[in-house]
Amino acid sequence: MIGVAEEREERRGRTGAGGDRSEAFSPGRGGRADAVLLGFTRALRAAGVAVSAERVHALLRAVDVLRPGVRADVYWAGRLTLCGDRDDLERYERVFAAYFGADGSPARPARAAAPPPRLRLVVRDAPGGPPAEPAEGERAGPPVASLASSAEVLRHRDVAGLDPAERAQVRRLLAAFALRGQSRRTARRRPARRGDVDPHRTVREMLRLGGEPALLRRHARTERPRRVVLLVDVSGSMGPYADALLRFAHAAALGRRTEVFTIGTRLTRVTRELSHRDPDLAMAAVAEAVPDWRGGTRLGELLREFLDRWGQRGMARGAVVVLLSDGWERGDPRLLAAQMRRLHRLAHRVIWSNPRKARPGYAPLAAGMAAALPSVDAFVEGHSLAALERLAAVVRGADTSAGTVATVASVARERS
């Protein structure tokens, strides 16, 4: 994708200097526009839209041909190149409104004679001259590039250090998330063009033709996502991150195969409370259901309770289990280590997301984290939007660096 941006810059340089179009797409500004669009496609991926490199290339080409300064053109270029099915349309609407600002709805074809509202993606200031006055019908306000750039910066900011306005924008972006477990092949089969011969359908087709030879009918195994189980730490040490992580869990719980629990001094199942479509209503319901906000942490005991009551009976079998915690343990670390080994035997994959992992010089020296790490398949960060996007990719089955967990564990042993 970066190569596409470089190719565009080189081509713009060859098209000549002069004219309004070459001025609008000067190398500096064109690079900024490409960065904004690439950040937008990353947000779409986090929302569950299958944005491939080919679709990103098509988006950049389409925006180059259309009017990049007009919001309607950017909206329709992305919708026609990035959306592959009907399910993508609703996600695209939400991500576009959250990423390019919620002050206006996504552009629609204009029915009146007046031109559509214009929010510039690339600022077209004349060299050495004052900024141009807004055209008639143009909406005053910050350009789209500024709004998108702020969203791109927020993706990498630590959630614990945001002010209220930034937290509100992060909540809008989190509402567009989607979490899908790694796909697995099932025993059920569906008709397909390629695959094993389906004898029943083939014989029925021959009988329909009166015994005459017929084309062989084939079938293939279907795939379905694995169940995802989220265990969200709401203890006092996780207070700055609890709201963002629960909103991430809310977006994930809107799927059918996701279960969410909170852990602190008690284990609380909050899947039903998070089933509300409205994130604020869901958070209010969770606040009433969870009695141990900002308390202590009993990871070992609560993990044992989860396995005894739900996990052993099937909820954790073959599932992707994600623990979102900093690993501070008030109880016996040996109990946590034993329960993590038990969980690892049941689950398909165990992922631990620690918001404090991104801090410089971090090592899992906390007793609970050090005890749990040998039974963890992937150890990732969880402090920002970008980190949660990477977590969603790992849940979908993306490979992490092979030696990440082993390297962190060895560092912890050396420092201890």
Side-chain angles (χ1 to χ4, degrees):
M1 291 185 289
I2 297 177
V4 175
E6 293 176 351
E7 177 188 345
R8 294 178 65 191
E9 298 299 339
E10 181 180 357
R11 181 161 53 84
R12 290 182 189 127
R14 294 196 303 264
T15 54
D20 185 49
R21 187 168 183 79
S22 61
E23 176 185 343
F25 287 95
S26 60
R29 292 170 184 169
R32 184 187 180 194
D34 290 338
V36 169
L37 293 174
L38 294 179
F40 174 55
T41 58
R42 283 193 294 267
L44 280 175
R45 273 197 204 94
V49 180
V51 180
S52 62
E54 290 77 11
R55 291 184 180 181
V56 174
H57 187 277
L59 170 65
L60 296 178
R61 295 284 187 183
V63 172
D64 195 9
V65 172
L66 298 174
R67 299 169 295 174
V70 181
R71 180 179 183 167
D73 287 8
V74 176
Y75 169 80
W76 286 109
R79 174 164 171 156
L80 295 175
T81 57
L82 301 178
C83 297
D85 53 43
R86 292 184 178 180
D87 294 337
D88 294 342
L89 297 179
E90 181 183 357
R91 300 185 184 119
Y92 181 85
E93 299 278 356
R94 290 189 282 113
V95 175
F96 189 90
Y99 196 83
F100 290 107
D103 54 339
S105 59
R108 298 284 183 182
R111 297 184 179 179
R118 302 182 65 182
L119 289 177
R120 297 184 181 275
L121 178 64
V122 180
V123 183
R124 304 186 183 189
D125 297 341
E133 292 293 331
E136 183 179 355
E138 184 176 354
R139 186 182 302 170
V144 172
S146 300
L147 295 171
S149 298
S150 63
E152 183 67 14
V153 171
L154 280 179
R155 288 181 62 252
H156 301 278
R157 290 276 303 278
D158 193 313
V159 175
L162 301 180
D163 58 36
E166 293 170 334
R167 286 181 180 272
Q169 188 173 359
V170 166
R171 289 170 180 172
R172 290 194 297 270
L173 292 171
L174 282 172
F177 262 72
L179 192 65
R180 181 184 178 88
Q182 185 176 357
S183 298
R184 65 177 182 88
R185 297 179 66 188
T186 66
R188 294 188 177 184
R189 297 178 181 268
R190 59 175 176 78
R193 293 184 178 181
R194 297 178 182 178
D196 300 332
V197 175
D198 186 346
H200 301 287
R201 294 178 60 239
T202 301
V203 171
R204 285 198 300 269
E205 182 66 15
M206 293 178 63
L207 292 175
R208 188 180 68 84
L209 298 176
E212 294 293 331
L215 292 176
L216 294 178
R217 301 298 178 179
R218 300 182 180 274
H219 57 189
R221 290 194 175 184
T222 59
E223 291 188 352
R224 65 183 306 181
R226 294 182 179 273
R227 179 185 291 108
V228 178
V229 180
L230 300 176
L231 302 175
V232 184
D233 190 344
V234 294
S235 62
S237 60
M238 287 289 291
Y241 301 98
D243 180 75
L245 295 180
L246 283 172
R247 288 178 182 273
F248 171 77
H250 167 258
L254 295 179
R256 296 181 179 179
R257 296 184 60 80
T258 303
E259 294 285 344
V260 184
F261 295 80
T262 62
I263 52 177
T265 57
R266 298 185 184 182
L267 179 70
T268 308
R269 187 181 183 183
V270 293
T271 306
R272 180 178 298 178
E273 285 75 12
L274 291 176
S275 62
H276 294 284
R277 284 285 177 181
D278 187 278
D280 294 329
L281 291 178
M283 292 300 105
V286 171
E288 294 181 1
V290 177
D292 55 337
W293 287 100
R294 297 182 179 273
T297 311
R298 299 187 302 147
L299 294 177
E301 296 178 21
L302 297 184
L303 188 57
R304 180 174 60 186
E305 179 182 347
F306 165 74
L307 292 173
D308 291 342
R309 187 173 180 183
W310 285 287
Q312 193 76 35
R313 297 182 179 181
M315 186 177 289
R317 290 183 181 275
V320 180
V321 181
V322 184
L323 294 97
L324 300 106
S325 172
D326 54 5
W328 288 97
E329 171 65 302
R330 194 175 67 179
D332 187 358
R334 292 175 296 181
L335 174 60
L336 176 59
Q339 298 307 313
M340 286 296 297
R341 289 192 296 268
R342 184 181 169 194
L343 174 63
H344 192 266
R345 289 192 297 267
L346 286 173
H348 171 73
R349 203 174 187 193
V350 178
I351 302 171
W352 195 298
S353 176
N354 190 334
R356 306 188 187 278
K357 183 177 181 291
R359 296 185 178 181
Y362 170 83
L365 301 179
M369 194 72 255
L373 203 56
S375 301
V376 172
D377 296 308
F379 184 43
V380 298
E381 302 170 355
H383 67 294
S384 65
L385 282 172
L388 293 177
E389 290 175 7
R390 289 192 292 271
L391 171 61
V394 173
V395 172
R396 288 193 299 268
D399 292 331
T400 55
S401 55
T404 300
V405 175
T407 302
V408 175
S410 63
V411 172
R413 286 194 297 268
E414 291 176 2
R415 294 196 176 186
S416 59

